[in-house]
């Protein structure tokens, strides 16, 4: 049960809870959502269908998916009072900072009517967060761009709506909406959101579970998860990959950076490589790699950055250190490249991760809150401080 941690220094891992949502085999590179292989879901499903699966445990029937989608559309709008919340952010605020603030503020909007003991209240809270997160995300971008907010439309799908809220402009003659809800882009977004939807007890999901175990407001707990995801060692890696590629600048400098990544005295790490659990290829990276080539074929505009990324991948996969340490490209290595090709701004890359992972976070929250005997999380530690000692008066120190 939550709170019983086994510390295994050899594997640096802890078993923090029981969950039936996602299964990972790091050695074999297996990832299952409610028993379904991620490869099959990425190939045949949609993000909303996968979100239903994660939240409810089963794939939806046609009618169930229709009702689920209809309810998501119903909750997609933000309360008008929330729009003024954005006025408090300077135009150059990082979108992740705005996401933390706005998601957290929903705990003020929906606090009074929330009865956490009522499964229906919990279900609606989860649906609200899944529905509103793309609207909030797009609003963060519009605020930083100084553009008017665009409302969600019920005639567009989840990914199409997001791209429309991000990029459509009243003066459509400059930027046609259609180019942003192009089938290649929408297919890539659905796959990216499916691959990022859940991943067992990663740092941000564990944060959401630990905060939720105290009975805290779910919107505030998801805001905590957004904070944890922001770090460059976690969800912030996709943004860090593009910064790293810009710093490397050219293929002939790749050996210099590979050497830095191997130098224990240099804090530099190859962003988008390695994983605490996968000691083989991240199955999501394999899938996303194919999507990356499809998207680049249509949108890359021969950007040298993409050639550099593929050359870096080739160098690292052949390097003895990376082979010995089993450091392979992870899901974040390719996602940033795709987002850049889709004209998503770099500081929005981790926000894209938030949209997808909200499905996983709310599913774990629902699972935990449904357990009648769930207990507060209480991690322990290995104490490395002084043995007990006596107080010394100031004059004798
Ligand atoms: C995500 O947990 C999840 O499931 C996360 C995630 C999810 O879906 O939620 O999968 C999403 O966060 C993917 C990871 C994104 N982060 C990055 O790409 C940042 C770069 N990667 C590293 O910072 C690192 O690989 C981590 C943080 C991902 C994992 O760090 P660990 O657990 O310390 O890695 P490890 O124990 O496997 O490291 C083994 C060795 C270590 O060297 P030694 O101490 O044995 O000498 O490999 C080294 C590490 O220093 N190493 C790297 C490296 N990653 C690990 N060296 C250079 N470059 C790297 N990227």
């Amino acid at each position: 049960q939550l709170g019983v941690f086994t510390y295994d220094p050899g594997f640096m891992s802890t078993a923090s809870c029981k969950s039936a949502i996602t299964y990972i085999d790091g050695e074999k590179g297996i990832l299952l959502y409610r028993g379904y292989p991620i490869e099959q879901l990425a190939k045949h499903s949609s993000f909303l269908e996968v979100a239903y699966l994660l939240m409810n445990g089963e794939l939806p029937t046609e009618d169930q998916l229709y009702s689920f989608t209809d309810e998501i559309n119903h909750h997609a709008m933000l309360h008008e009072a929330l729009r003024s919340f954005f006025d408090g952010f300077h135009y150059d605020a990082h979108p992740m900072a705005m996401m933390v603030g706005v998601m957290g503020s929903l705990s003020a909007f929906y606090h009074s009517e929330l009865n956490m003991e009522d499964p229906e209240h919990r279900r609606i809270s989860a649906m609200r967060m899944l529905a509103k997160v793309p609207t909030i995300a797009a609003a963060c971008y519009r605020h930083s761009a100084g553009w008017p907010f665009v409302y969600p439309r019920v005639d567009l799908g989840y990914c199409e709506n997001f791209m429309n809220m991000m990029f459509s402009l009243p003066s459509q003659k400059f930027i046609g909406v259609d180019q942003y809800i192009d089938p290649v882009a929408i297919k890539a977004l659905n796959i990216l959101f499916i691959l990022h939807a859940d991943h067992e007890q990663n740092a941000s999901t564990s944060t959401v579970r630990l905060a939720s175990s105290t009975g805290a407001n779910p919107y505030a707990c998801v805001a905590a998860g957004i904070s944890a995801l922001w770090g460059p060692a976690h969800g912030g890696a996709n943004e860090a990959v593009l910064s790293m590629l810009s710093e490397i600048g050219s293929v002939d400098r790749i050996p210099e950076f590979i050497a830095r990544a191997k130098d224990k005295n240099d804090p530099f790490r190859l962003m988008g490589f390695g994983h605490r659990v996968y000691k083989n290829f991240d199955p999501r990276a394999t899938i996303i790699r194919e999507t990356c080539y499809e998207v680049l074929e249509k949108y890359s505009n021969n950007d040298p950055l993409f050639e550099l990324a593929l050359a870096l991948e080739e160098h690292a996969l052949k390097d003895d250190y990376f082979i010995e340490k089993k450091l392979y490209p992870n899901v974040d290595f390719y996602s940033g490249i795709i987002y850049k090709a889709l004209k998503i701004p770099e500081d929005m890359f981790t926000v894209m991760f938030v949209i997808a992972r909200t499905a996983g976070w709310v599913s774990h929250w629902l699972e935990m809150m449904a357990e009648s005997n769930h207990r507060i999380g209480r991690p322990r530690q290995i104490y490395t401080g002084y043995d007990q000692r006596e107080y010394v008066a100031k004059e004798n120190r």
Side-chain angles (χ1 to χ4, degrees), residues 81-93 98 102 143:
L82 205 59
R83 286 161 56 92
S84 58
F85 195 93
F86 284 87
D87 297 340
F89 294 115
H90 201 251
Y91 74 91
D92 63 352
M98 292 193 259
V102 178
H143 175 74

Side-chain angles (χ1 to χ4, degrees), residues 84-140:
S84 58
F85 195 93
F86 284 87
D87 297 340
F89 294 115
H90 201 251
Y91 74 91
D92 63 352
H94 195 289
M96 282 298 284
M98 292 193 259
M99 289 298 292
V100 171
V102 178
M103 180 61 78
S105 76
L106 293 184
S107 57
F109 267 85
Y110 301 111
H111 184 76
S112 55
E113 68 196 54
L114 178 65
N115 171 11
M116 302 256 264
E117 298 310 313
D118 183 337
E120 181 57 8
H121 276 218
R122 298 199 296 262
R123 189 194 66 81
I124 292 174
S125 301
M127 291 297 281
R128 272 197 185 118
M129 284 187 267
L130 184 63
K132 293 180 193 308
V133 71
T135 311
I136 297 170
C140 291

Side-chain angles (χ1 to χ4, degrees), residues 245-276:
L245 290 172
S246 304
E247 188 186 357
I248 294 173
S250 62
V251 174
D252 57 358
R253 291 193 67 200
I254 287 177
E256 171 195 336
F257 282 82
I258 295 269
R260 283 189 57 194
K262 292 151 62 171
D263 178 356
K264 285 300 158 206
N265 299 318
D266 187 331
F268 174 78
R269 282 192 163 183
L270 220 49
M271 290 290 110
F273 282 80
H275 198 278
R276 173 62 58 82

Side-chain angles (χ1 to χ4, degrees), residues 17 20 25 29-30 35 48 66 103 123 138 161 170 193 205 221 260-261 317 325 345 347 350 356 364:
C17 67
D25 182 323
I30 293 173
L48 274 193
Y66 181 85
M103 180 61 78
R123 189 194 66 81
N161 235 330
F193 284 169
T205 301
C221 295
R260 283 189 57 194
L317 289 177
K325 298 281 184 187
D347 63 4
T350 311
H364 281 272

Side-chain angles (χ1 to χ4, degrees), residues 24 195-196 198-199 201-204 229 232-235 237 241 261-262 264 268-279 282 284 321-322 325 327 330-332 353 357:
I24 299 174
L195 297 178
H196 284 85
D198 193 52
H199 210 238
Q201 298 310 314
N202 57 85
S204 53
L229 189 71
H234 190 12
V241 165
K262 292 151 62 171
K264 285 300 158 206
F268 174 78
R269 282 192 163 183
L270 220 49
M271 290 290 110
F273 282 80
H275 198 278
R276 173 62 58 82
V277 176
Y278 289 121
K279 298 310 167 191
D282 180 336
R284 302 167 299 176
Y321 172 88
F322 280 78
K325 298 281 184 187
L327 301 177
N330 59 47
V331 68
D332 291 308
F353 202 149
R357 191 51 56 90

